[in-house]
Amino acid sequence: MARKLTTLIVLIMLQLSFSAPAKDWVYVVVEGDNIWNISKRFLNDINHFKEIQKLNNIPVAKQLQPGTLLRVPLEWIKNHAAKVNVKSISGESTKISAGQTSPVTTQTIFTLGDELRVAPNATITLVFADNTEVTLSNGVLITFDHLSQYGETGMVDTRVRLLDGKLEVRAEKQTGAGSRLDIQTASAVTSVRGTVFRVGVDKKNKNTPNVSVVEVLEGEVAVSAGDKSVAVKQGYGLKIEKGKELKQPAKLLPAPKIITFTKQVEKTNQAVIWQSVNSAQSYIVQIASDKLFSNIQWQKQQKLTSIILPSLTDGRYHLRISAISDDGVEGLTTPVSFMVNINPKAPELIPVDKMYMSTPKALTWTEVPDVHHFIIQIAKDKLFTQLVIDKQVNSQSFILNSPLALGVYYWRIASLQGKNLLDKGPFSVIESFDYSTKLAPPKLRISSRDNNIEVIWNPLPSNQHIELQTAPTSDFQKIDIPLLVSKTSYRFDLINDDPIYIRAKSVLTQHNISSEWSNYCKVAGKFEICK
């Protein structure tokens, strides 16, 4: 179907060391070259060698100095059809060739006249004959209007018509006067080689059916409409409207600054939050498996400044966010890489408050389907920089057979898919326990004479002391000031005949670890009772 196109021409100036007509290819002579072998290799008719000799003022055909520049008219150079290959594909895309449709795979080849339809939420990256890459995603429709290359010269003539959607182009450097890359929309845009830019059309928006956008990320693109021309430099964008005067390019919106993001994703429903950008009406978030974003796995356009990451298989990914202006021009972006390591899932830990040196207790965790091997880590700090245990186990429990220094410890568990540490999943939520030695409470005896009371207990090791309490009742709800005693007895006087209750516990002095309270003793007048 014939389509009306608004004329848009991009001017390319190729600077050479001598003046050559725009339609001439320039060849640099190397050691061993002569007019005949150059003609045989590059020209469509070897008999052009006489004209080449005359055009370049070569007195002796056999003598060519290395480094000599030869001008060769483009129409004399071999020319044949070029092909377009598929580098990567995610989701469904369709090729239409001579009225026949077929699904696109990485083996698909596009030729002149073919049409490519990219389904919503799908992405495909094409590689042209000159190694230029074009990434199409989310509902793009293009046709290949011209695909040819000039033999072995490296010059390729490519013209693609973008009917709907958006392309990201990573164009190779200019290789000669015959090189050309046109992306036609309701206008035509030609890249300067070595440029990274985006071209977009939104036919689904009835308010802007004849509007195109150009966004230059690297290099420069020159755009002309009618008798006016404008250069779109790196970091600038241009909105082009059919029938309206060409505007000056505007600076692209800056890349949104990410506030909340983790580069090691170990759980589902992970949030990404970024700062809003002034003048942004929406944002595009993309996740790809490569730094160039030629293999986009997921993307979303929205007005909010936060998203929940989608479900991704374990591996390395790259994320980028760009803001879209009121004119529909997409801004700059700063990609960040991250790792997904969710599987195998971590078990849930069964909390333990205390662990005693004298009576080791097992640390245990829940079962994980199809997982039989685990990594247990125990550390002195929450960041696990001071590891005391880092061990692989093949059960759902672990017993501390070797004593630790007394204190608080933190522990966590990770699942292993097999026995290989490379197949380790994320670590569990961290739990802690207090590692101590279990002290026996002292056994108290009472000796009284008149109003003088002596509390006696068995001798303690040098690193322990006694904490003594007295109270008017056996429930010790209202205690006197606690007494700290390091000897084997303590004496005090009764103030009156009211009963008094006494109890004590052993305390490990340096670690502030204590035993349970002892049974109490009761003193009432001349009577003493110890339970």
Side-chain angles (χ1 to χ4, degrees), residues 180-416:
R180 179 175 177 176
L181 174 60
D182 285 359
I183 308 294
Q184 301 179 17
T185 59
S187 21
V189 177
T190 304
S191 77
V192 177
R193 298 292 170 157
T195 296
V196 179
F197 66 100
R198 299 184 292 242
V199 181
V201 169
D202 188 0
K203 288 292 185 183
K204 294 180 284 296
N205 190 337
K206 295 181 181 180
N207 297 323
T208 58
N210 296 305
V211 173
S212 305
V213 293
V214 178
E215 301 139 5
V216 180
L217 305 179
E218 294 179 19
E220 182 176 312
V221 172
V223 180
S224 296
D227 59 351
K228 299 217 170 170
S229 179
V230 63
V232 185
K233 298 181 180 180
Q234 177 175 326
Y236 283 78
L238 180 64
K239 178 181 177 181
I240 308 160
E241 298 183 69
K242 182 178 179 180
K244 292 188 178 182
E245 186 175 343
L246 200 61
K247 298 179 180 179
Q248 286 298 311
K251 197 169 185 178
L252 296 178
L253 292 179
K257 184 178 180 180
I258 297 177
I259 303 171
T260 301
F261 181 63
T262 176
K263 293 188 176 182
Q264 185 75 15
V265 177
E266 295 186 338
K267 62 180 182 179
T268 57
N269 299 322
Q270 183 71 53
V272 181
I273 304 173
W274 58 92
Q275 288 182 349
S276 61
V277 176
N278 291 336
S279 302
Q281 58 93 6
S282 63
Y283 301 89
I284 290 181
V285 184
Q286 294 179 322
I287 296 175
S289 59
D290 66 313
K291 289 183 178 180
L292 293 177
F293 283 76
S294 64
N295 191 7
I296 297 173
Q297 303 291 303
W298 180 87
Q299 63 181 330
K300 186 177 182 180
Q301 183 172 341
Q302 61 178 42
K303 294 184 179 294
L304 299 176
T305 57
S306 65
I307 62 158
I308 299 296
L309 291 180
S311 296
L312 299 167
T313 57
D314 288 359
R316 179 170 292 280
Y317 294 90
H318 305 269
L319 176 141
R320 66 182 181 184
I321 306 169
S322 53
I324 300 177
S325 69
D326 292 333
D327 281 345
V329 178
E330 185 179 343
L332 300 173
T333 182
T334 304
V336 293
S337 62
F338 65 99
M339 285 291 298
V340 174
N341 184 28
I342 295 177
N343 295 298
K345 296 187 180 299
E348 293 182 16
L349 307 188
I350 299 174
V352 174
D353 291 332
K354 285 185 176 292
M355 296 281 285
Y356 295 106
M357 183 186 298
S358 55
T359 55
K361 184 179 180 181
L363 297 171
T364 58
W365 50 91
T366 59
E367 181 182 0
V368 178
D370 301 321
V371 173
H372 307 287
H373 302 275
F374 303 89
I375 293 291
I376 181 170
Q377 288 187 342
I378 301 176
K380 287 290 293 179
D381 64 314
K382 291 182 180 180
L383 297 179
F384 286 77
T385 59
Q386 302 176 49
L387 284 172
V388 294
I389 290 177
D390 184 7
K391 190 173 182 180
Q392 181 175 334
V393 296
N394 58 1
S395 65
Q396 291 170 232
S397 64
F398 178 75
I399 297 178
L400 289 168
N401 291 319
S402 299
L404 303 175
L406 301 181
V408 176
Y409 289 87
Y410 302 88
W411 66 293
R412 62 185 183 181
I413 303 291
S415 301
L416 291 178

Side-chain angles (χ1 to χ4, degrees), residues 403-445:
L404 303 175
L406 301 181
V408 176
Y409 289 87
Y410 302 88
W411 66 293
R412 62 185 183 181
I413 303 291
S415 301
L416 291 178
Q417 198 67 59
K419 293 184 179 182
N420 192 339
L421 292 177
L422 296 177
D423 297 326
K424 180 183 73 66
F427 277 104
S428 65
V429 173
I430 299 169
E431 290 285 351
S432 65
F433 61 86
D434 186 4
Y435 187 76
S436 62
T437 181
K438 197 166 187 178
L439 301 179
K443 291 184 179 181
L444 303 183
R445 302 191 307 276

